[in-house]
Amino acid sequence: MDYQQILERIYQSILPYAKEGKQADYIPELAKVNPDQFGMSIHTIYGEEASIEQADTRFSIQSISKVFALAMCLSIKGDDLWLKVGKEPSGSSFNSLIQLEVENGIPRNPFLNAGAIVMADILYSHLENPEDDFLAFVRAVSGNETICYNQNVAMSERENGYLNAAIANLLKYHGTIENDIESVLHFYFMMCSIEMSCRELSLAFLAFANHRRKFNYAGIELTASQVKRMNAIMQTCGFYDEAGEFAYLVGLPGKSGVGGGIAAIYPLQYSVAVWSPRLNPKGNSVMGIKALELLTTETKESIF
Ligand code: GLN
């Protein structure tokens, strides 16, 4: 399979969508990003790789960081994690409060903001230096020591993070989180602020694409079946209220973020990351979804 040629062809086909959608502006720092950018990178478990356009430009990974948080929580808590957060698709937006109230402060799944704030609380309780340890894990799984938080993005989000603060308060009221709200929110926003390029993200996700290889990075160990289960959660919950549509169009487990990134995997074959800041109304990258739809259509490689 000549992935380089395929990616280049895909890019030409999606150019008509280049101006569709709108970048996230509820985080003021993200509104400053040039929306007319696109990158894509793919890595196979056999060592092939292909990248196009701005595949080496770093962007805010935002909710894609929730995959790394889930890996750490599963490694630390095992199945006890599921006492505090569910694993069912929500059918609601990533920052919705309604379901959380009706379901007594137990988030539907770890990829909603509420679920990720619960994971931030768990990690905050268990890690000696939460910010250092989280970054060390992301760097180890990516094989790249230069990956960093962007403090400005984290601060900018905190200053305007009224909805996430409301979610954290509801979680605290129900006793789902144990640490003080400000510390948990700060850590959550820091995790979301990590910056990576498509090439770096794709390489990191290779760890989830190949569950037959030992998963052990910076002391975070997962069994093969834990990795498979993480992929199941990416498939069912990775795109919020668009998870069904993404399964229908693309057919790969993956995770999106409001920075415009999407990382996805085809188990035992490849990992792929794509980035373009313009989002559809559900908060997922317009060109990103299109590119992945064409990738699995052209290669006939998807889980379905
Ligand atoms: N930091 C963002 C938020 O909490 C993450 C949302 C996302 O990427 N979907 O709103």
Side-chain angles (χ1 to χ4, degrees), residues 147-267:
I147 291 166
C148 273
Y149 296 113
N150 182 329
Q151 296 262 3
N152 290 340
V153 172
M155 296 309 155
S156 160
E157 185 165 8
R158 178 60 195 106
E159 279 162 23
N160 297 277
Y162 305 111
L163 209 45
N164 283 320
I167 290 171
N169 275 280
L170 199 51
L171 290 168
K172 185 78 180 174
Y173 170 80
H174 284 285
T176 317
I177 60 176
E178 48 190 44
N179 297 289
D180 73 277
I181 289 170
E182 208 44 59
S183 308
V184 175
L185 279 177
H186 176 77
F187 182 42
Y188 167 73
F189 293 135
M190 286 296 276
M191 292 196 285
C192 290
S193 82
I194 284 185
E195 294 184 331
M196 292 171 77
S197 68
C198 287
R199 197 190 299 265
E200 291 163 350
L201 256 183
S202 175
L203 262 174
F205 269 65
L206 206 51
F208 303 108
N210 191 354
H211 58 268
R212 292 192 186 142
R213 192 175 62 185
K214 193 154 181 46
F215 191 106
N216 185 352
Y217 302 92
I220 298 301
E221 278 188 75
L222 293 175
T223 64
S225 91
Q226 281 175 317
V227 174
K228 276 197 294 181
R229 287 174 178 163
M230 284 196 50
N231 296 341
I233 296 170
M234 281 195 248
Q235 179 69 43
T236 51
C237 311
F239 298 84
Y240 317 111
D241 43 346
E242 204 170 35
E245 184 75 2
F246 190 83
Y248 177 82
L249 294 173
V250 178
L252 298 176
K255 184 75 204 78
S256 60
V258 291
I262 300 177
I265 58 150
Y266 178 36

Side-chain angles (χ1 to χ4, degrees), residues 26-27 61-64 66 94-95 113 157 164 188-189 192 240 255-259 283:
Y26 74 97
I27 303 172
I61 70 168
Q62 291 297 320
S63 285
I64 302 174
K66 294 169 183 171
F94 60 85
N95 52 14
N113 286 7
E157 185 165 8
N164 283 320
Y188 167 73
F189 293 135
C192 290
Y240 317 111
K255 184 75 204 78
S256 60
V258 291

Side-chain angles (χ1 to χ4, degrees), residues 47-180:
E48 300 151 276
E49 90 156 89
S51 294
I52 56 164
E53 298 298 314
Q54 282 129 304
D56 291 313
T57 305
R58 284 186 173 166
F59 57 89
S60 197
I61 70 168
Q62 291 297 320
S63 285
I64 302 174
S65 65
K66 294 169 183 171
V67 176
F68 301 126
L70 178 59
M72 283 187 101
C73 283
L74 273 180
S75 167
I76 291 167
K77 297 285 280 186
D79 281 344
D80 281 353
L81 172 64
W82 308 122
L83 300 172
K84 291 200 163 178
V85 56
K87 44 178 141 59
E88 289 295 338
S90 65
S92 58
S93 65
F94 60 85
N95 52 14
S96 168
L97 271 166
I98 297 171
Q99 205 166 45
L100 189 62
E101 180 173 20
V102 173
E103 298 183 358
N104 302 316
I106 300 293
R108 267 289 172 99
N109 68 64
F111 292 157
L112 293 164
N113 286 7
I117 292 169
V118 170
M119 293 198 294
D121 177 69
I122 289 170
L123 295 177
Y124 195 85
S125 295
H126 281 80
L127 300 175
E128 217 159 295
N129 303 296
E131 284 176 33
D132 292 348
D133 296 350
F134 184 75
L135 190 58
F137 169 61
V138 176
R139 286 176 169 179
V141 77
S142 315
N144 184 327
E145 285 300 305
T146 69
I147 291 166
C148 273
Y149 296 113
N150 182 329
Q151 296 262 3
N152 290 340
V153 172
M155 296 309 155
S156 160
E157 185 165 8
R158 178 60 195 106
E159 279 162 23
N160 297 277
Y162 305 111
L163 209 45
N164 283 320
I167 290 171
N169 275 280
L170 199 51
L171 290 168
K172 185 78 180 174
Y173 170 80
H174 284 285
T176 317
I177 60 176
E178 48 190 44
N179 297 289
D180 73 277

